[in-house]
């Protein structure tokens, strides 16, 4: 069996990034978050970062061509073939999904599963309002549900609120998701596993892990 290749699909605040981080660390699977890669590029003022900055701040999607170039470079990494990968927050449009499909075909890699993190707008607003991200290690915390401690945050880096985590931007990003990303639910219907993203993080983690283990049988 080849290493698992999965997409995590869902609105901002659905918990996909937190689950992807944990699965990646525990099961040694590559975690590719286009949001993290874009923020890193922005913070390092690279050409990509400068091109993406205004889209990120507005809560709009970065143009497909820029995202596909970024993913093309990352998917060529040999670790993907040996360890597998979680695509977190990519694809976000049908054009990106078609680009991904072509790329995977060239690399002779099969997409195994698409996990949909299903959650309401109200829950999203509650979660993202309390979200904090470490500027150093990129770990995600929540002031109420998952506060940073010496045990879960050994680097003790500065915790920041994202520029796009205001209520107005969260509502706007939800609308962008419904318009541009939700069509992927039908597109991937054959590989889709829908998760109740309001359930406890442990239940969600174990469900996904179970699905990954079943792929290996
Ligand atoms: P995220 O961290 O996944 O919530 O992404 C933060 C922001 O980065 C989004 O609101 C977009 O501006 C941009 N972004 C991340 N991934 C993509 C993608 N696959 N396509 C277009 N824009 C993206």
């Amino acid at each position: 069996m080849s290493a698992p290749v999965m997409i995590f699909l869902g609105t901002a605040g659905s918990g996909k990034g937190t689950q992807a981080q944990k699965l990646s660390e525990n099961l040694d699977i590559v975690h590719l978050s286009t949001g993290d890669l874009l923020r890193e590029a922005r913070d390092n003022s690279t050409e990509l970062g400068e091109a993406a900055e205004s889209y990120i701040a507005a809560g709009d999607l970065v143009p497909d061509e820029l995202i596909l170039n970024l993913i093309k470079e990352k998917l060529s990494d040999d670790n993907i073939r040996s360890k597998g990968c979680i695509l977190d927050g990519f694809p976000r449009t049908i054009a990106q999904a078609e680009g991904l499909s072509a790329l995977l075909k060239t690399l002779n890699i099969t997409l195994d599963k698409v996990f949909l993190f299903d959650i309401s707008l109200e829950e999203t607003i509650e979660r993202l309002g309390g979200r904090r991200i470490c500027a150093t290690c990129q770990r995600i915390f929540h002031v109420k549900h998952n506060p940073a401690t010496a045990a879960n945050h050994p680097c003790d880096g500065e915790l920041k609120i994202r520029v796009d985590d205001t209520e107005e931007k969260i509502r706007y990003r939800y609308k962008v998701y419904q318009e541009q990303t939700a069509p992927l639910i039908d597109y991937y219907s054959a590989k889709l596993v829908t998760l109740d993203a309001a359930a406890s993080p442990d239940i969600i983690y174990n469900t996904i892990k179970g699905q990954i283990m079943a792929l290996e049988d």
Side-chain angles (χ1 to χ4, degrees):
M1 124 100 210
S2 58
V5 176
M6 299 160 281
I7 291 171
F8 281 13
L9 188 65
T11 54
S14 60
K16 57 187 181 350
T18 308
Q19 292 290 345
Q21 262 175 12
K22 194 170 164 195
L23 288 155
S24 155
E25 283 174 16
N26 293 352
L27 305 180
D28 197 20
I29 299 172
V30 177
H31 174 199
L32 278 183
S33 155
T34 41
D36 284 351
L37 292 168
L38 290 170
R39 278 184 291 279
E40 189 186 314
R42 177 198 61 192
D43 294 346
N44 292 330
S45 301
T46 66
E47 203 178 316
L48 169 67
E50 290 190 352
E53 187 170 9
S54 61
Y55 295 98
I56 298 173
D60 279 315
L61 294 186
V62 173
D64 292 331
E65 195 190 332
L66 295 179
I67 298 287
L68 282 167
N69 282 339
L70 173 68
I71 282 289
K72 186 174 179 184
E73 184 197 318
K74 296 289 168 187
L75 280 183
S76 324
D77 181 345
D78 281 343
N79 276 326
I80 306 265
R81 197 174 296 282
S82 55
K83 297 182 173 184
C85 137
I86 299 171
L87 295 166
D88 164 14
F90 170 86
R92 261 174 151 103
T93 63
I94 296 281
Q96 289 181 19
E98 286 172 347
L100 172 65
S101 164
L103 268 173
L104 291 177
K105 204 167 173 186
T106 316
L107 295 164
N108 201 19
I109 293 176
T110 307
L111 173 68
D112 294 299
K113 292 269 177 221
V114 178
F115 291 95
L116 171 66
F117 289 67
D118 196 23
I119 198 154
S120 69
L121 172 60
E122 289 66 35
E123 179 81 5
T124 297
I125 290 170
E126 203 276 319
R127 286 186 178 191
L128 293 185
R131 176 159 76 175
R132 301 291 181 272
I133 309 222
C134 174
T136 309
C137 69
Q138 312 302 326
R139 275 197 171 79
I140 307 166
F141 301 98
H142 189 281
V143 286
K144 207 157 80 189
H145 309 305
N146 180 27
T149 63
N152 69 9
H153 189 211
C155 96
D156 199 28
E158 187 188 354
L159 296 179
K160 292 198 159 178
I161 301 176
R162 274 172 46 171
V163 288
D164 51 354
D165 274 353
T166 61
E167 181 168 340
E168 186 197 351
K169 294 274 170 61
I170 295 166
R171 285 184 186 277
Y172 181 70
R173 282 153 71 208
Y174 196 85
K175 181 170 159 276
V176 169
Y177 175 87
Q178 296 301 341
E179 288 171 2
Q180 302 196 51
T181 308
L184 293 178
I185 297 170
D186 274 351
Y187 183 90
Y188 284 125
S189 61
K191 302 201 171 187
L192 201 74
V193 178
T194 301
L195 304 163
D196 173 8
S200 96
D202 285 346
I203 292 179
I204 298 170
Y205 177 84
N206 287 325
T207 306
I208 301 173
K209 192 175 162 193
Q211 293 271 343
I212 295 174
M213 295 304 155
L215 288 172
E216 292 177 356
D217 289 341

